[in-house]
């Protein structure tokens, strides 16, 4: 898509509330505990809005009850989003939420998975094998609950957790909706944290079918289990939390459409579906669409270690044709991998899931607890023959890699650049033609995987432009750029903006420069999969999660600040002409510049051009750009990311109070006069600090409270004793495999109870070990 004029920026959905150190290592993190960090991008029915008949698709989540939704908003030829005309509203909440809930869980939904032996089956109790039945909780009512049965939901008593009153659809956080055009049956595919990839009718918003990757039905250290969705109180877990991709391909003369996706924080797995026929007249027809599943230890549930280095893959897979004509899925191995601890590019046969190549880089982590990992790839076809030639990707150790796969059997791997300071590259790079030959590779650094990331207000991250012209990159030839905060004011308009230093980057002469790096304000970083180059601008969003906003009228405000950035892709500077229509007069002129130092007029130099503007608090997606009749516009998905409803009594953790948490090891050396010896840990207002209502001792927000610290061997048996004050009847204690919580007031000593009669557990077999309080 070629843009003929600079883009006019528009905030997308800002009005909808439903919506450290300088050098990082790649230490293992716990995906279930990661901060939200970012949201999935929006998708569109067509990137040209000139017809006035197109649609924007937006995923959504609400943390108060972990519900989700998917909206379809019309957009006119001027780029205005028609919120009031949401296409799928049938009542209540709008979007697909009402439709999914209205579809009968037994007769109205087609939900499918794989059996332990790889057979394609409906997701029903009678179809699952005995291990899947046992691993998901051992009850048919749990399977029915996951399918949408609400008869066993109850906020009080020993039943399953109550979902949102509005919908059974799970939260959609990091998965971008994928619109797939079809002459009669267009579809929107999106992953949700109810364990499913959902296929929705793009015309009516009804669910056509849903697919549950079978690795979520088995107890495995690599994956979350869908049986845990019933646990009350609910400790949120991720499932299908990455974005799918689809491509029309020709296999043996037959045209097909194949979808490939990962599961992000949900686990270490990939899957593929044949969606050539987007309809599904039965569950058997829906199940037949499953092509393959991959884990580090299996392919289609059959033992296979071809992907032993596979980690949590957050990025969008690339689907491309190789030089020999084979269609392949190309993915980075992701994070938290084990084994050789390297960043690896996997090339996978699109139709079978068989490994074509695992291309390792030369930089590894230090150990299984500190592995390297490859992020999202970008592929290019340099000779325009329809076959991929090179792949670019960054890793979590801060290296930018180039893979020459013209001969996939003998690939060439080049480390183009190492960021300085070394910082994680977690998004896919953009690759564009450089005006002096070769390619310009733009990317940025940042991560949001741990609670420490969310509170890091000191690290300075960077955006980059690196010139790949076949020569070795000299870090001294990278030009530094900085951002300066400004306020743009005109009449009733008042915007926080930033300008670039716009230092010259000369790619000619005897000693040409080789790129640029732009420092972001301290604590601000680039996360999520995306960013793009259009109209010679590198466009990306950046976020600072540490910025707090005071309550307004007693109403809690979102945490964090988010910015839109548009810099020249070759220089990181501002260029010569304004790019934001700040005064909304539909013209890009001198009135859209910041004032000169004297304040008497516009700054006509490059430092007078705003390259960044504030968007919103909460979390934001990476941008999408669509073409209008004459201009283009930039759209974002935003969400306030509030953990609880915005009421006067709302706040982090439990309402109107707090709890502390301690861990005490009997065997330690007392080093101070405190009652806590050095190994022990006390956290005051634990719920407020981590915004939780309980402590999961198998995956706590603070790793010091993991029971495995005290019992490191998975074979060691232990028993649980408890004492409770009579005035704490609301506290729930969840232990073992039974999903419902047990009130601590029922966990009492009886005359016949002995230590020998108490059940024994081990960290290898215990399913739950959790204290939980109600929200209010």
């Amino acid at each position: 898509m070629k843009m003929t004029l600079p883009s006019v920026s528009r905030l997308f959905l800002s009005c909808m509330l439903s919506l450290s150190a300088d050098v990082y290592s790649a230490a293992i993190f716990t995906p279930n505990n990661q901060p939200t960090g970012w949201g999935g991008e929006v998708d569109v029915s067509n990137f040209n809005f000139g017809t006035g008949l197109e649609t924007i698709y937006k995923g959504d989540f609400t943390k108060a009850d972990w519900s989700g939704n998917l909206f379809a908003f019309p957009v006119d030829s001027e780029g205005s989003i028609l919120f009031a005309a949401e296409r799928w509203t049938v009542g209540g909440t709008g979007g697909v939420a009402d439709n999914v809930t209205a579809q009968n869980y037994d007769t109205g939904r087609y939900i499918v998975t794989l059996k332990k032996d790889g057979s394609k089956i409906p997701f029903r109790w009678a179809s699952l094998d005995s291990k899947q039945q046992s691993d998901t909780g051992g009850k048919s009512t749990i399977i029915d609950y996951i399918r949408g049965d609400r008869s066993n939901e109850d906020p009080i008593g020993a039943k399953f957790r109550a979902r949102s009153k509005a919908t059974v659809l799970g939260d959609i956080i990091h998965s971008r909706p994928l619109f797939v055009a079809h002459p009669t049956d267009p579809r929107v595919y999106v992953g949700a944290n109810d364990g499913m990839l959902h296929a929705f009718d793009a015309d009516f918003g009804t669910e056509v079918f849903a697919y549950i990757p079978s690795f979520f039905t088995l107890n495995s250290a690599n994956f979350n289990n869908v049986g845990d969705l019933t646990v009350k109180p609910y400790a949120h877990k991720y499932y299908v939390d990455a974005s799918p991709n689809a491509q029309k391909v020709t296999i043996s003369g037959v045209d097909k459409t194949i979808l490939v996706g990962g599961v992000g924080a949900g686990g270490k797995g990939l899957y593929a579906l044949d969606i050539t026929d987007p309809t599904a007249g039965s569950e058997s027809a829906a199940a037949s669409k499953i092509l393959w599943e991959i884990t580090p230890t299996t392919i289609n549930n059959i033992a296979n270690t071809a992907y032993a280095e596979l980690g949590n893959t957050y990025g969008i897979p690339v689907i491309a044709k190789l030089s020999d004509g084979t269609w392949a899925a190309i993915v980075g191995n992701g994070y938290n991998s084990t084994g050789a601890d390297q960043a690896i590019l996997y090339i996978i046969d699109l139709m079978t899931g068989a490994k074509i190549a695992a291309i390792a880089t030369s930089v590894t982590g230090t150990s299984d607890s500190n592995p390297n990992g490859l992020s999202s790839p970008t592929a290019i076809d340099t000779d325009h023959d329809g076959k991929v030639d090179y792949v670019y990707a960054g890793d979590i150790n801060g290296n930018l890699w180039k893979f020459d796969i013209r001969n996939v059997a003998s690939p060439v791997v080049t480390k183009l650049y190492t960021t300085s300071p070394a910082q994680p590259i977690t998004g896919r790079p953009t690759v564009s033609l450089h005006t002096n030959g070769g390619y310009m590779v733009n990317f940025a650094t940042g991560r949001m995987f741990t609670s420490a990331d969310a509170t890091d207000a000191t690290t300075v991250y960077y955006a980059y432009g690196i010139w790949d012209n076949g020569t070795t990159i000299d870090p001294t030839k990278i030009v530094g750029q900085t951002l300066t905060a400004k306020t743009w004011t005109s009449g009733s308009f008042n915007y926080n903006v930033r300008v670039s230093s716009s230092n010259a980057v000369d790619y000619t002469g005897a000693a040409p420069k080789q790129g640029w790096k732009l420092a972001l304000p301290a604590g601000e970083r680039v996360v999520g999969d995306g960013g793009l180059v259009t109209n010679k601008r590198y466009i990306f969003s950046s976020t600072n999660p540490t910025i707090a906003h005071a309550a307004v009228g007693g109403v809690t405000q979102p945490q964090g600040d988010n910015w839109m950035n548009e810099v020249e892709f070759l220089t990181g500077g501002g260029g010569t002409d304004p790019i934001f229509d700040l005064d909304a007069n539909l013209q890009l002129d001198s009135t859209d510049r910041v004032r000169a130092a004297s304040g008497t007029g516009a700054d006509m130099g490059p430092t007078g051009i705003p390259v960044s503007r504030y968007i919103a608090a909460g979390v934001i997606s990476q941008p999408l750009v669509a073409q209008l009749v004459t201009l283009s516009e930039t759209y974002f998905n935003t969400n306030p990311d509030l953990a609880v409803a915005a009421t006067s009594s709302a706040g982090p953790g439990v309402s109107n109070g707090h709890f502390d948490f301690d861990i005490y090891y009997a065997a330690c050396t007392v080093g101070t006069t405190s009652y806590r010896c050095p190994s022990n840990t006390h956290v005051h207002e634990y719920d407020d600090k981590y915004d939780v209502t309980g402590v999961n001792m198998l995956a706590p927000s603070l790793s010091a409270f993991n029971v495995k610290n005290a019992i490191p061997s998975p074979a060691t048996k232990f028993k649980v004793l408890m004492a409770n004050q009579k005035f704490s009847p609301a506290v729930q204690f969840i232990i073992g495999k039974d999903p419902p919580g047990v009130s601590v007031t029922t966990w009492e000593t009886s005359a016949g109870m002995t230590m020998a009669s108490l059940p024994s557990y081990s960290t290898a077999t215990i399913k739950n070990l959790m204290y939980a309080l109600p929200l209010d």
Side-chain angles (χ1 to χ4, degrees), residues 216-250:
F216 292 142
T217 69
L218 301 168
N219 281 337
S220 168
N222 288 326
F223 299 98
N224 292 322
N225 188 290
V226 289
D228 294 338
L229 289 165
T230 63
V231 174
K232 186 187 71 157
Y234 180 54
H236 180 261
K237 293 185 177 181
Y238 294 96
Y239 291 93
V240 187
D241 194 53
S243 302
N245 190 18
Q247 178 71 41
K248 292 182 179 180
V249 302
T250 301

mmCIF file of all heavy atoms in Angstrom, residues 216-250:
data_model
loop_
_atom_site.group_PDB
_atom_site.id
_atom_site.type_symbol
_atom_site.label_atom_id
_atom_site.label_comp_id
_atom_site.label_asym_id
_atom_site.label_seq_id
_atom_site.Cartn_x
_atom_site.Cartn_y
_atom_site.Cartn_z
ATOM 1 N N PHE A 216 -3.701 -28.166 25.868
ATOM 2 C CA PHE A 216 -4.359 -27.565 27.028
ATOM 3 C C PHE A 216 -5.223 -28.567 27.800
ATOM 4 O O PHE A 216 -5.762 -28.232 28.847
ATOM 5 C CB PHE A 216 -5.245 -26.392 26.595
ATOM 6 C CG PHE A 216 -4.490 -25.210 26.070
ATOM 7 C CD1 PHE A 216 -4.987 -24.478 25.008
ATOM 8 C CD2 PHE A 216 -3.289 -24.807 26.635
ATOM 9 C CE1 PHE A 216 -4.319 -23.369 24.515
ATOM 10 C CE2 PHE A 216 -2.596 -23.712 26.150
ATOM 11 C CZ PHE A 216 -3.115 -22.985 25.086
ATOM 12 N N THR A 217 -5.394 -29.770 27.262
ATOM 13 C CA THR A 217 -6.208 -30.790 27.948
ATOM 14 C C THR A 217 -5.359 -31.784 28.720
ATOM 15 O O THR A 217 -5.901 -32.711 29.321
ATOM 16 C CB THR A 217 -7.078 -31.559 26.939
ATOM 17 O OG1 THR A 217 -6.237 -32.375 26.095
ATOM 18 C CG2 THR A 217 -7.883 -30.610 26.074
ATOM 19 N N LEU A 218 -4.047 -31.600 28.722
ATOM 20 C CA LEU A 218 -3.137 -32.548 29.370
ATOM 21 C C LEU A 218 -2.308 -31.832 30.428
ATOM 22 O O LEU A 218 -1.906 -30.683 30.238
ATOM 23 C CB LEU A 218 -2.201 -33.185 28.332
ATOM 24 C CG LEU A 218 -2.891 -33.945 27.195
ATOM 25 C CD1 LEU A 218 -1.896 -34.263 26.094
ATOM 26 C CD2 LEU A 218 -3.528 -35.219 27.727
ATOM 27 N N ASN A 219 -2.075 -32.501 31.537
ATOM 28 C CA ASN A 219 -1.210 -31.927 32.559
ATOM 29 C C ASN A 219 0.221 -31.914 32.049
ATOM 30 O O ASN A 219 0.804 -32.962 31.773
ATOM 31 C CB ASN A 219 -1.294 -32.742 33.860
ATOM 32 C CG ASN A 219 -2.540 -32.419 34.648
ATOM 33 O OD1 ASN A 219 -3.115 -31.349 34.500
ATOM 34 N ND2 ASN A 219 -2.986 -33.346 35.489
ATOM 35 N N SER A 220 0.768 -30.751 31.891
ATOM 36 C CA SER A 220 2.113 -30.607 31.344
ATOM 37 C C SER A 220 2.740 -29.353 31.902
ATOM 38 O O SER A 220 2.067 -28.324 32.044
ATOM 39 C CB SER A 220 2.070 -30.532 29.810
ATOM 40 O OG SER A 220 3.312 -30.123 29.279
ATOM 41 N N ALA A 221 4.032 -29.423 32.190
ATOM 42 C CA ALA A 221 4.736 -28.244 32.680
ATOM 43 C C ALA A 221 4.820 -27.164 31.614
ATOM 44 O O ALA A 221 5.055 -25.994 31.924
ATOM 45 C CB ALA A 221 6.149 -28.638 33.128
ATOM 46 N N ASN A 222 4.610 -27.534 30.348
ATOM 47 C CA ASN A 222 4.751 -26.580 29.251
ATOM 48 C C ASN A 222 3.482 -25.802 28.946
ATOM 49 O O ASN A 222 3.510 -24.856 28.162
ATOM 50 C CB ASN A 222 5.190 -27.315 27.976
ATOM 51 C CG ASN A 222 6.628 -27.789 28.039
ATOM 52 O OD1 ASN A 222 7.472 -27.130 28.636
ATOM 53 N ND2 ASN A 222 6.901 -28.935 27.450
ATOM 54 N N PHE A 223 2.339 -26.206 29.554
ATOM 55 C CA PHE A 223 1.069 -25.604 29.162
ATOM 56 C C PHE A 223 0.145 -25.408 30.346
ATOM 57 O O PHE A 223 0.197 -26.158 31.323
ATOM 58 C CB PHE A 223 0.353 -26.489 28.129
ATOM 59 C CG PHE A 223 1.123 -26.688 26.870
ATOM 60 C CD1 PHE A 223 1.870 -27.834 26.673
ATOM 61 C CD2 PHE A 223 1.126 -25.716 25.881
ATOM 62 C CE1 PHE A 223 2.610 -28.014 25.518
ATOM 63 C CE2 PHE A 223 1.852 -25.884 24.726
ATOM 64 C CZ PHE A 223 2.598 -27.030 24.534
ATOM 65 N N ASN A 224 -0.737 -24.421 30.229
ATOM 66 C CA ASN A 224 -1.858 -24.307 31.157
ATOM 67 C C ASN A 224 -2.914 -25.327 30.781
ATOM 68 O O ASN A 224 -2.951 -25.824 29.657
ATOM 69 C CB ASN A 224 -2.427 -22.890 31.110
ATOM 70 C CG ASN A 224 -1.467 -21.875 31.673
ATOM 71 O OD1 ASN A 224 -0.772 -22.134 32.650
ATOM 72 N ND2 ASN A 224 -1.402 -20.695 31.060
ATOM 73 N N ASN A 225 -3.790 -25.646 31.729
ATOM 74 C CA ASN A 225 -4.806 -26.674 31.524
ATOM 75 C C ASN A 225 -6.188 -26.032 31.571
ATOM 76 O O ASN A 225 -6.493 -25.262 32.493
ATOM 77 C CB ASN A 225 -4.678 -27.757 32.604
ATOM 78 C CG ASN A 225 -5.564 -28.946 32.336
ATOM 79 O OD1 ASN A 225 -6.783 -28.862 32.434
ATOM 80 N ND2 ASN A 225 -4.947 -30.069 32.003
ATOM 81 N N VAL A 226 -7.038 -26.345 30.587
ATOM 82 C CA VAL A 226 -8.352 -25.708 30.519
ATOM 83 C C VAL A 226 -9.230 -26.072 31.713
ATOM 84 O O VAL A 226 -10.181 -25.354 32.024
ATOM 85 C CB VAL A 226 -9.088 -26.050 29.210
ATOM 86 C CG1 VAL A 226 -8.441 -25.363 28.035
ATOM 87 C CG2 VAL A 226 -9.165 -27.563 28.995
ATOM 88 N N GLY A 227 -8.914 -27.162 32.412
ATOM 89 C CA GLY A 227 -9.681 -27.500 33.606
ATOM 90 C C GLY A 227 -9.573 -26.434 34.677
ATOM 91 O O GLY A 227 -10.482 -26.284 35.503
ATOM 92 N N ASP A 228 -8.489 -25.671 34.652
ATOM 93 C CA ASP A 228 -8.291 -24.629 35.663
ATOM 94 C C ASP A 228 -9.222 -23.438 35.455
ATOM 95 O O ASP A 228 -9.317 -22.567 36.323
ATOM 96 C CB ASP A 228 -6.840 -24.142 35.641
ATOM 97 C CG ASP A 228 -5.860 -25.221 36.074
ATOM 98 O OD1 ASP A 228 -6.290 -26.161 36.766
ATOM 99 O OD2 ASP A 228 -4.681 -25.135 35.706
ATOM 100 N N LEU A 229 -9.917 -23.379 34.328
ATOM 101 C CA LEU A 229 -10.868 -22.294 34.094
ATOM 102 C C LEU A 229 -12.047 -22.339 35.063
ATOM 103 O O LEU A 229 -12.734 -21.339 35.247
ATOM 104 C CB LEU A 229 -11.394 -22.364 32.651
ATOM 105 C CG LEU A 229 -10.387 -21.980 31.560
ATOM 106 C CD1 LEU A 229 -10.884 -22.434 30.198
ATOM 107 C CD2 LEU A 229 -10.134 -20.479 31.566
ATOM 108 N N THR A 230 -12.282 -23.489 35.674
ATOM 109 C CA THR A 230 -13.415 -23.616 36.594
ATOM 110 C C THR A 230 -13.062 -23.245 38.024
ATOM 111 O O THR A 230 -13.953 -23.116 38.869
ATOM 112 C CB THR A 230 -13.934 -25.069 36.595
ATOM 113 O OG1 THR A 230 -12.908 -25.935 37.093
ATOM 114 C CG2 THR A 230 -14.336 -25.511 35.209
ATOM 115 N N VAL A 231 -11.784 -23.100 38.320
ATOM 116 C CA VAL A 231 -11.342 -22.900 39.697
ATOM 117 C C VAL A 231 -11.922 -21.604 40.262
ATOM 118 O O VAL A 231 -11.915 -20.562 39.619
ATOM 119 C CB VAL A 231 -9.802 -22.871 39.782
ATOM 120 C CG1 VAL A 231 -9.351 -22.503 41.193
ATOM 121 C CG2 VAL A 231 -9.231 -24.230 39.402
ATOM 122 N N LYS A 232 -12.387 -21.689 41.466
ATOM 123 C CA LYS A 232 -12.979 -20.533 42.156
ATOM 124 C C LYS A 232 -12.321 -20.377 43.525
ATOM 125 O O LYS A 232 -12.303 -21.356 44.288
ATOM 126 C CB LYS A 232 -14.483 -20.752 42.321
ATOM 127 C CG LYS A 232 -15.242 -19.568 42.898
ATOM 128 C CD LYS A 232 -16.686 -19.928 43.182
ATOM 129 C CE LYS A 232 -16.726 -20.865 44.384
ATOM 130 N NZ LYS A 232 -18.030 -20.839 45.059
ATOM 131 N N PRO A 233 -11.777 -19.214 43.851
ATOM 132 C CA PRO A 233 -11.609 -18.010 43.034
ATOM 133 C C PRO A 233 -10.616 -18.252 41.891
ATOM 134 O O PRO A 233 -9.678 -19.046 42.019
ATOM 135 C CB PRO A 233 -11.077 -16.976 44.013
ATOM 136 C CG PRO A 233 -11.358 -17.521 45.353
ATOM 137 C CD PRO A 233 -11.297 -19.001 45.220
ATOM 138 N N TYR A 234 -10.803 -17.537 40.828
ATOM 139 C CA TYR A 234 -10.044 -17.770 39.607
ATOM 140 C C TYR A 234 -8.734 -17.000 39.613
ATOM 141 O O TYR A 234 -8.723 -15.786 39.816
ATOM 142 C CB TYR A 234 -10.878 -17.354 38.400
ATOM 143 C CG TYR A 234 -10.192 -17.542 37.077
ATOM 144 C CD1 TYR A 234 -9.649 -18.777 36.719
ATOM 145 C CD2 TYR A 234 -10.085 -16.494 36.169
ATOM 146 C CE1 TYR A 234 -9.025 -18.957 35.501
ATOM 147 C CE2 TYR A 234 -9.474 -16.663 34.942
ATOM 148 C CZ TYR A 234 -8.939 -17.896 34.619
ATOM 149 O OH TYR A 234 -8.313 -18.076 33.406
ATOM 150 N N ALA A 235 -7.635 -17.709 39.403
ATOM 151 C CA ALA A 235 -6.330 -17.081 39.182
ATOM 152 C C ALA A 235 -6.090 -17.092 37.677
ATOM 153 O O ALA A 235 -5.923 -18.155 37.078
ATOM 154 C CB ALA A 235 -5.230 -17.854 39.906
ATOM 155 N N HIS A 236 -6.101 -15.936 37.065
ATOM 156 C CA HIS A 236 -6.096 -15.846 35.605
ATOM 157 C C HIS A 236 -4.907 -16.568 34.994
ATOM 158 O O HIS A 236 -3.774 -16.488 35.483
ATOM 159 C CB HIS A 236 -6.060 -14.385 35.164
ATOM 160 C CG HIS A 236 -6.046 -14.225 33.685
ATOM 161 N ND1 HIS A 236 -4.895 -13.989 32.967
ATOM 162 C CD2 HIS A 236 -7.047 -14.288 32.774
ATOM 163 C CE1 HIS A 236 -5.184 -13.902 31.683
ATOM 164 N NE2 HIS A 236 -6.484 -14.070 31.538
ATOM 165 N N LYS A 237 -5.185 -17.285 33.905
ATOM 166 C CA LYS A 237 -4.148 -17.932 33.122
ATOM 167 C C LYS A 237 -4.366 -17.608 31.649
ATOM 168 O O LYS A 237 -5.469 -17.299 31.224
ATOM 169 C CB LYS A 237 -4.170 -19.454 33.339
ATOM 170 C CG LYS A 237 -3.786 -19.872 34.753
ATOM 171 C CD LYS A 237 -3.703 -21.377 34.902
ATOM 172 C CE LYS A 237 -3.252 -21.758 36.304
ATOM 173 N NZ LYS A 237 -3.143 -23.229 36.480
ATOM 174 N N TYR A 238 -3.259 -17.695 30.900
ATOM 175 C CA TYR A 238 -3.316 -17.449 29.467
ATOM 176 C C TYR A 238 -3.471 -18.770 28.715
ATOM 177 O O TYR A 238 -2.975 -19.812 29.149
ATOM 178 C CB TYR A 238 -2.043 -16.744 28.999
ATOM 179 C CG TYR A 238 -1.875 -15.344 29.541
ATOM 180 C CD1 TYR A 238 -1.103 -15.092 30.672
ATOM 181 C CD2 TYR A 238 -2.480 -14.268 28.906
ATOM 182 C CE1 TYR A 238 -0.946 -13.809 31.165
ATOM 183 C CE2 TYR A 238 -2.319 -12.975 29.384
ATOM 184 C CZ TYR A 238 -1.551 -12.751 30.512
ATOM 185 O OH TYR A 238 -1.391 -11.474 30.993
ATOM 186 N N TYR A 239 -4.129 -18.708 27.565
ATOM 187 C CA TYR A 239 -4.308 -19.907 26.735
ATOM 188 C C TYR A 239 -3.932 -19.580 25.287
ATOM 189 O O TYR A 239 -2.753 -19.532 24.963
ATOM 190 C CB TYR A 239 -5.740 -20.435 26.882
ATOM 191 C CG TYR A 239 -5.981 -21.017 28.270
ATOM 192 C CD1 TYR A 239 -6.510 -20.234 29.299
ATOM 193 C CD2 TYR A 239 -5.636 -22.331 28.563
ATOM 194 C CE1 TYR A 239 -6.704 -20.747 30.568
ATOM 195 C CE2 TYR A 239 -5.825 -22.867 29.833
ATOM 196 C CZ TYR A 239 -6.356 -22.071 30.831
ATOM 197 O OH TYR A 239 -6.527 -22.589 32.096
ATOM 198 N N VAL A 240 -4.905 -19.318 24.421
ATOM 199 C CA VAL A 240 -4.564 -18.959 23.043
ATOM 200 C C VAL A 240 -4.337 -17.447 23.022
ATOM 201 O O VAL A 240 -5.210 -16.659 22.685
ATOM 202 C CB VAL A 240 -5.675 -19.377 22.061
ATOM 203 C CG1 VAL A 240 -5.212 -19.141 20.611
ATOM 204 C CG2 VAL A 240 -6.020 -20.851 22.241
ATOM 205 N N ASP A 241 -3.125 -17.071 23.387
ATOM 206 C CA ASP A 241 -2.817 -15.658 23.659
ATOM 207 C C ASP A 241 -1.814 -15.093 22.661
ATOM 208 O O ASP A 241 -0.998 -14.249 22.991
ATOM 209 C CB ASP A 241 -2.276 -15.522 25.087
ATOM 210 C CG ASP A 241 -2.253 -14.072 25.551
ATOM 211 O OD1 ASP A 241 -3.305 -13.413 25.461
ATOM 212 O OD2 ASP A 241 -1.192 -13.596 25.993
ATOM 213 N N ALA A 242 -1.856 -15.590 21.431
ATOM 214 C CA ALA A 242 -1.009 -15.055 20.366
ATOM 215 C C ALA A 242 -1.852 -14.923 19.107
ATOM 216 O O ALA A 242 -2.958 -15.458 19.016
ATOM 217 C CB ALA A 242 0.197 -15.969 20.134
ATOM 218 N N SER A 243 -1.318 -14.227 18.129
ATOM 219 C CA SER A 243 -2.084 -13.891 16.928
ATOM 220 C C SER A 243 -1.867 -14.918 15.826
ATOM 221 O O SER A 243 -0.729 -15.271 15.513
ATOM 222 C CB SER A 243 -1.668 -12.513 16.423
ATOM 223 O OG SER A 243 -1.870 -11.532 17.422
ATOM 224 N N PRO A 244 -2.961 -15.381 15.197
ATOM 225 C CA PRO A 244 -2.813 -16.302 14.069
ATOM 226 C C PRO A 244 -2.498 -15.558 12.781
ATOM 227 O O PRO A 244 -2.669 -14.349 12.681
ATOM 228 C CB PRO A 244 -4.202 -16.957 13.989
ATOM 229 C CG PRO A 244 -5.139 -15.882 14.471
ATOM 230 C CD PRO A 244 -4.372 -15.114 15.533
ATOM 231 N N ASN A 245 -2.054 -16.313 11.793
ATOM 232 C CA ASN A 245 -1.856 -15.783 10.444
ATOM 233 C C ASN A 245 -2.423 -16.808 9.466
ATOM 234 O O ASN A 245 -2.464 -18.003 9.766
ATOM 235 C CB ASN A 245 -0.374 -15.553 10.166
ATOM 236 C CG ASN A 245 -0.138 -14.772 8.874
ATOM 237 O OD1 ASN A 245 -1.040 -14.119 8.355
ATOM 238 N ND2 ASN A 245 1.074 -14.839 8.351
ATOM 239 N N ALA A 246 -2.878 -16.357 8.319
ATOM 240 C CA ALA A 246 -3.429 -17.259 7.309
ATOM 241 C C ALA A 246 -2.937 -16.828 5.938
ATOM 242 O O ALA A 246 -2.668 -15.648 5.696
ATOM 243 C CB ALA A 246 -4.955 -17.262 7.350
ATOM 244 N N GLN A 247 -2.846 -17.793 5.030
ATOM 245 C CA GLN A 247 -2.333 -17.508 3.698
ATOM 246 C C GLN A 247 -2.998 -18.443 2.693
ATOM 247 O O GLN A 247 -3.185 -19.640 2.971
ATOM 248 C CB GLN A 247 -0.808 -17.717 3.655
ATOM 249 C CG GLN A 247 -0.168 -17.490 2.317
ATOM 250 C CD GLN A 247 -0.151 -16.034 1.929
ATOM 251 O OE1 GLN A 247 0.107 -15.173 2.744
ATOM 252 N NE2 GLN A 247 -0.437 -15.745 0.664
ATOM 253 N N LYS A 248 -3.351 -17.906 1.524
ATOM 254 C CA LYS A 248 -3.810 -18.752 0.434
ATOM 255 C C LYS A 248 -2.592 -19.353 -0.260
ATOM 256 O O LYS A 248 -1.665 -18.628 -0.639
ATOM 257 C CB LYS A 248 -4.644 -17.935 -0.550
ATOM 258 C CG LYS A 248 -5.982 -17.461 0.027
ATOM 259 C CD LYS A 248 -6.801 -16.705 -1.006
ATOM 260 C CE LYS A 248 -8.140 -16.267 -0.424
ATOM 261 N NZ LYS A 248 -8.957 -15.517 -1.409
ATOM 262 N N VAL A 249 -2.577 -20.648 -0.430
ATOM 263 C CA VAL A 249 -1.435 -21.359 -0.996
ATOM 264 C C VAL A 249 -1.951 -22.345 -2.048
ATOM 265 O O VAL A 249 -3.144 -22.664 -2.097
ATOM 266 C CB VAL A 249 -0.629 -22.107 0.082
ATOM 267 C CG1 VAL A 249 -0.131 -21.141 1.145
ATOM 268 C CG2 VAL A 249 -1.470 -23.200 0.728
ATOM 269 N N THR A 250 -1.051 -22.837 -2.853
ATOM 270 C CA THR A 250 -1.383 -23.891 -3.814
ATOM 271 C C THR A 250 -0.497 -25.089 -3.518
ATOM 272 O O THR A 250 0.733 -25.006 -3.618
ATOM 273 C CB THR A 250 -1.174 -23.405 -5.261
ATOM 274 O OG1 THR A 250 -1.999 -22.258 -5.494
ATOM 275 C CG2 THR A 250 -1.556 -24.498 -6.246
#
